[in-house]
């Protein structure tokens, strides 16, 4: 990323400005008049996955305000679908996710979230838009408004989906199960973007292949036999057994994977016991697993089951006390259609200027359930791109020893809303216009 940022800085200084689309000033004017306040409301009022009731209501209201838009609510739970038709032609799906995260915001922003909510797991938690979904849905409204105003330049159908529960990688699957591709026009193309804190504001980046890794959430229950802490021989300590398992799981990456072949197993949660001197009878682990292909994904999940069983046997656990492994949610890799990505990356360069299109580099193993919308058997061609969210000056300062740029899911996370939303709206509008335009005469 450091090399890419340095390259971007040079390009920014060396490349002359290009003429932007004639409709781009209207996007900026919309931000000043409306979208800025809308983002502020979304940021102050985040909601957890599958609990996005107020967010969905606001998005439905905003989309209904777009001339010609037909809006349906309650799709896949809290999902919203808006359909904008303009004669015969291809169908393009534009997707934005809307859920927040169970994180207490410490960004220092004047509109920092104070919200709390009970999630689908029954746990009350603080809620924050710690991944920028507030910018995604605001930019969707801006895109819908602009495309409605430009109906003389395109022909076909646009399906806007406001998706719940991306953070639990379950919302896209739920909307599909509720008839997204049957009840509404099935798309030829599906588009989405994600704001990226590590990418300079005003820039975009998209792969011609893998954009995001797969992700699986795994729960492991490690039973034990309770006893007094002073008499460990009288029981089976699940904290000890689970601790061995945490370490052993890393061998699936360090000793069973080819060193240049990526994979991640992270134990994000370890809960057991209530008192210093009590050996409890259960430990619970929550694990995230990442891969870049289905073969690796299966190998890691099968390996977790094998290692968990082996650790149970090693510790002499009876058959009814062996660790139990459950995959509770997951999503495949997000793969951009290569010809479509080349086409739309060229559109981005023409629309934003070549200096603002960053070569894609996978620097982590984040995941996206947008993948469900573009699985090979669906025949829907997908294009997912990143939109820069942090001013270049802040990124350069961090690189030179200044304050670090907070990562996604951090309580300190923040992006500059205006360049993120304006760039995202312009980029998405341009992509849809390219796929659906120009409108045929007569």
């Amino acid at each position: 990323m450091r090399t890419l940022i340095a390259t971007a800085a040079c390009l920014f200084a060396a490349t002359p400005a290009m003429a932007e689309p004639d409709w781009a000033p209207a996007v900026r004017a919309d931000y000043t008049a409306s979208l800025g306040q809308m983002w502020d409301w979304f940021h102050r009022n985040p909601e957890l996955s599958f609990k996005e009731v107020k967010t969905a209501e606001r998005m439905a209201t905003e989309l209904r305000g777009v001339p010609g838009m037909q809006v349906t609510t309650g799709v896949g739970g809290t999902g919203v679908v808006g359909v904008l038709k303009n004669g015969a032609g291809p169908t393009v799906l534009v997707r934005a996710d809307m859920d927040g995260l169970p994180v207490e915001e410490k960004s220092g922003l004047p509109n920092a979230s104070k919200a709390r909510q009970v999630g689908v797991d029954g746990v009350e938690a603080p809620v924050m838009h710690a991944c920028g979904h507030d910018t995604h849905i605001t930019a969707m409204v801006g895109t819908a408004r602009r495309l409605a105003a430009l109906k003389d330049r395109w022909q076909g159908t646009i399906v806007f989906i406001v998706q719940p529960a991306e953070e639990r990688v379950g919302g896209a699957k739920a909307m599909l199960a509720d008839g997204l591709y049957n009840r509404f026009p099935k798309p030829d193309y599906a588009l989405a973007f994600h704001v990226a804190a590590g990418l300079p504001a005003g820039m975009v980046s998209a792969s011609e292949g893998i954009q995001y890794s797969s992700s699986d959430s795994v729960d492991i229950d490690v039973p034990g036999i309770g006893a007094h802490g002073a008499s460990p021989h009288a029981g089976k300590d699940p904290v000890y057994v689970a601790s061995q398992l945490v370490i052993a799981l890393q061998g699936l990456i360090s000793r069973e994977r080819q060193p240049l072949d990526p994979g991640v197993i992270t134990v994000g949660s370890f809960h057991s016991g209530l008192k210093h001197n009590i050996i409890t009878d259960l430990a619970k682990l929550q694990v995230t697993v990442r891969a870049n292909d289905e073969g690796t994904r299966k190998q890691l999940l099968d390996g977790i089951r094998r290692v968990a069983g082996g650790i149970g046997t090693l510790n002499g656990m009876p058959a009814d006390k062996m660790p139990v492994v459950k995959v509770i949610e997951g999503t495949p890799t997000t793969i951009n259609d290569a010809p479509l990505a080349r086409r739309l990356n060229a559109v981005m360069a023409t629309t934003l200027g070549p200096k603002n299109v960053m070569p894609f580099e996978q620097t982590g193993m984040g995941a996206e359930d947008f993948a469900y919308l573009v699985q090979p058997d669906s025949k829907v061609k997908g294009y997912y791109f990143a939109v820069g969210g942090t001013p270049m000056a802040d990124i350069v300062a961090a690189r030179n020893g200044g304050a670090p740029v907070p990562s996604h899911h951090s309580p300190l996370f923040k992006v500059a809303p205006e360049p993120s939303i304006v760039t995202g709206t312009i980029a998405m509008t341009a992509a849809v216009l390219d796929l659906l335009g120009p409108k045929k005469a007569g």
Side-chain angles (χ1 to χ4, degrees):
M1 177 61 77
R2 182 171 294 189
T3 301
L4 289 177
I5 291 169
T7 301
C10 292
L11 286 171
F12 190 84
T15 306
M18 290 184 60
E20 63 181 11
D22 60 355
W23 44 264
V27 174
R28 294 189 174 88
D30 195 12
Y31 183 87
T32 301
S34 172
L35 297 177
Q37 290 104 336
M38 190 185 306
W39 172 81
D40 180 83
W41 188 88
F42 286 133
H43 193 80
R44 293 175 188 269
N45 297 280
E47 295 176 290
L48 294 171
S49 301
F50 289 123
K51 295 282 188 173
E52 312 95 338
V53 176
K54 293 180 181 178
T55 307
E57 288 177 353
R58 176 70 186 264
M59 282 299 293
T61 298
E62 298 294 346
L63 290 178
R64 287 189 178 108
V66 175
M69 187 80 72
Q70 298 297 312
V71 177
T72 304
T73 59
V75 182
T78 51
V80 179
V81 177
V83 178
L84 188 62
K85 294 183 177 181
N86 191 30
T91 297
V92 176
L93 180 149
V94 176
R95 175 270 208 168
D97 41 10
M98 62 173 163
D99 52 331
L101 283 158
V103 175
E104 181 181 359
E105 182 163 4
K106 299 177 182 178
S107 65
L109 293 172
N111 64 346
S113 169
K114 305 297 183 184
R116 296 184 65 86
Q117 191 178 28
V118 177
V120 294
D121 56 3
V123 176
E124 182 180 290
V127 191
M128 173 190 176
H129 270 302
C131 207
H133 295 185
D134 46 354
T135 64
H136 304 171
I137 51 180
T138 304
M140 171 176 276
V141 175
T143 300
R145 290 173 175 175
R146 201 52 31 219
L147 287 167
L150 295 169
K151 289 182 80 171
D152 60 334
R153 303 192 188 188
W154 61 272
Q155 183 168 298
T157 300
I158 310 170
V159 180
F160 296 90
I161 72 165
V162 187
Q163 186 206 297
E166 186 279 330
E167 297 296 354
R168 297 187 69 95
V169 293
K173 195 174 182 180
M175 293 188 79
L176 287 167
D178 200 14
L180 180 64
Y181 284 175
N182 300 316
R183 296 166 56 192
F184 307 97
K186 184 179 178 181
D188 299 290
Y189 308 98
L191 311 179
F193 81 82
H194 203 300
V195 67
L199 187 67
M203 296 187 176
V204 299
S205 182
S207 172
E208 293 182 7
I210 185 168
Q211 185 81 16
Y212 285 104
S213 303
S214 67
S215 173
D216 290 285
S217 296
V218 180
D219 287 351
I220 307 177
D221 288 351
V222 182
I225 299 174
H228 196 294
S231 303
H233 62 285
K236 291 288 186 180
D237 186 352
V239 173
Y240 174 67
V241 175
S243 297
Q244 291 178 315
L245 179 54
V246 170
I247 300 300
L249 290 176
Q250 299 311 311
L252 293 171
I253 302 297
S254 66
R255 287 299 177 265
E256 297 191 17
R257 299 293 307 137
Q258 204 271 358
L260 300 180
D261 200 359
V264 167
I265 296 176
T266 295
V267 179
S269 176
F270 188 140
H271 288 280
S272 186
L274 296 172
K275 187 72 174 67
H276 305 72
N277 61 349
I278 299 173
I279 292 175
T280 187
D281 59 2
L282 181 65
K284 289 180 172 286
L285 304 180
Q286 293 181 319
V287 184
T288 189
V289 182
R290 308 297 172 110
N292 275 359
D293 61 81
E294 287 302 305
T296 299
R297 185 184 183 193
K298 183 177 186 302
Q299 181 185 32
L300 294 179
L301 292 174
D302 289 347
I304 289 172
R305 297 182 182 96
R306 170 171 53 84
V307 169
I311 290 294
T313 300
L314 174 68
N315 285 277
M317 299 301 295
D320 63 343
K321 296 286 187 182
M322 297 293 283
V324 177
V325 177
K326 295 180 180 178
V327 180
I328 63 166
E329 56 195 18
T331 185
T333 51
T334 296
I335 309 291
N336 280 347
D337 179 80
L340 179 63
R342 285 191 289 271
R343 173 181 174 177
L344 294 183
N345 280 347
V347 171
M348 298 299 166
T350 300
T351 303
L352 302 173
K355 65 184 176 61
N356 288 321
V357 181
M358 186 85 79
F360 178 80
E361 178 184 1
Q362 188 181 21
T363 58
M365 298 193 77
E368 247 292 347
D369 72 344
F370 177 79
Y372 282 110
L373 302 174
V374 294
Q375 283 299 285
D377 60 357
S378 73
K379 308 299 183 185
V380 178
K381 297 177 180 180
Y383 178 71
Y384 197 110
F385 60 101
V387 172
T390 301
M392 175 69 82
D394 291 357
I395 292 178
V396 172
R399 187 185 68 201
N400 293 330
V405 175
S407 70
H408 294 249
H409 293 210
S410 162
L412 303 176
F413 174 82
K414 58 183 176 182
V415 294
E418 182 170 6
S420 302
I421 293 165
V422 168
T423 301
T425 300
I426 291 174
M428 186 65 80
T429 301
V432 175
L433 286 174
D434 183 78
L435 295 173
L436 296 183
K439 185 175 180 179
K440 297 179 178 62

